[in-house]
């Protein structure tokens, strides 16, 4: 069993328990989030990403009224939208806060992918080798760490639950006590 499978099973056991797992507190945000908000108008960032706490695709998902979808989305602190207008945010992965939370991407088909430990890792996959210097310059100006390599990212994310499996759990567990008792945000 892989670390990701073990982490996913552990979180799903907690979700199935009588206590459930309440949505993460929004009182404590990842320190990096303040940097993204400050740099929101930077031309480099604007080419690949738009900062918004209320991505339209998320609103479309919530408008469908599915409580399982709403509950899963309540565990995401939205950063904004990629250049293809799809939402990216910090996923609590069952933690109490979003500090140290991984960054996930939700596409328009409700496929969910772990991107990295920071938005910088996502940007590293978007810019390719031709934009690498510009990304490193942006990181220096914003006082952010440079992006991890693909192998470093995979290793950092290996011990985290699979967000797609957790989403599927919420999607198919509508009406269970631990989901219906937790108010989605």
């Amino acid at each position: 069993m892989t670390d990701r499978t073990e982490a996913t099973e552990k979180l799903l056991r907690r979700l199935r328990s009588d206590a459930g797992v309440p949505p993460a507190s929004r009182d404590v945000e990842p320190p990096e989030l303040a940097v993204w908000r400050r740099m929101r108008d930077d031309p480099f960032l604007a080419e690949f990403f738009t900062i918004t706490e209320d991505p339209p695709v998320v609103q479309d998902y919530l408008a469908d009224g599915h409580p399982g979808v709403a509950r899963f989305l309540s565990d995401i602190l939205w950063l904004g939208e990629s250049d293809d207008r799809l939402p990216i945010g910090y996923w609590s992965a069952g933690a109490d806060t979003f500090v140290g939370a991984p960054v996930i991407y939700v596409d328009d088909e409700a496929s969910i992918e772990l991107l990295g430990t920071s938005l910088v890792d996502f940007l590293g996959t978007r810019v390719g080798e031709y934009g690498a210097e510009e990304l490193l310059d942006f990181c220096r100006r914003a006082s952010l760490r440079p992006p991890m390599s693909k192998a470093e990212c995979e290793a950092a994310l290996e011990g985290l639950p699979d967000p797609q499996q957790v989403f599927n759990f919420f999607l198919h567990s509508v009406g269970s006590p631990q989901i219906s008792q937790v108010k989605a945000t």
Side-chain angles (χ1 to χ4, degrees):
M1 190 179 294
T2 67
D3 290 345
R4 167 120 349 113
T5 302
E6 288 177 28
T8 302
E9 287 302 314
K10 182 178 177 182
L11 179 54
L12 292 177
R13 278 193 303 276
R14 286 179 52 212
L15 290 168
R16 288 182 192 111
S17 75
D18 290 336
V21 178
S25 168
R26 294 187 181 316
D27 295 338
V28 183
E29 295 180 338
E32 162 188 89
L33 187 55
V35 175
W36 294 116
R37 289 175 178 151
R38 178 174 47 85
M39 300 296 288
R40 76 179 334 125
D41 295 324
D42 185 276
F44 173 80
L45 183 60
E47 186 176 337
F48 299 98
F49 195 76
T50 302
I51 302 290
T52 177
E53 296 172 10
D54 198 19
V57 169
V58 173
Q59 294 310 308
D60 291 345
Y61 285 140
L62 291 171
D64 287 342
H66 193 293
V69 171
R71 175 57 180 88
F72 179 80
L73 295 178
S74 73
D75 281 332
I76 301 171
L77 179 63
W78 297 107
L79 281 160
E81 296 177 314
S82 63
D83 54 346
D84 51 0
R85 316 277 308 152
L86 297 174
I88 295 175
Y90 296 104
W91 178 48
S92 71
D96 294 336
T97 71
F98 291 98
V99 174
V103 175
I104 67 169
Y105 174 81
V106 181
D107 74 14
D108 54 358
E109 302 280 324
S111 293
I112 302 158
E113 179 183 346
L114 284 170
L115 296 175
T117 60
S118 164
L119 183 59
V120 170
D121 298 328
F122 165 74
L123 292 172
T125 65
R126 284 298 229 229
V127 300
E129 63 185 68
Y130 299 108
E133 283 304 314
E134 289 86 354
L135 176 56
L136 291 175
D137 179 59
F138 172 80
C139 289
R140 281 189 287 276
R141 286 184 284 116
S143 299
L144 294 168
R145 67 156 174 82
M148 289 193 233
S149 69
K150 184 175 180 171
E152 290 171 323
C153 242
E154 288 173 1
L157 299 174
E158 177 59 31
L160 295 172
D162 181 333
Q164 188 69 57
Q165 289 183 26
V166 175
F167 174 77
N168 291 342
F169 167 80
F170 282 120
L171 193 63
H172 300 352
S173 298
V174 174
S176 68
Q178 66 268 34
I179 293 174
S180 59
Q181 290 175 2
V182 178
K183 182 179 182 246
T185 58

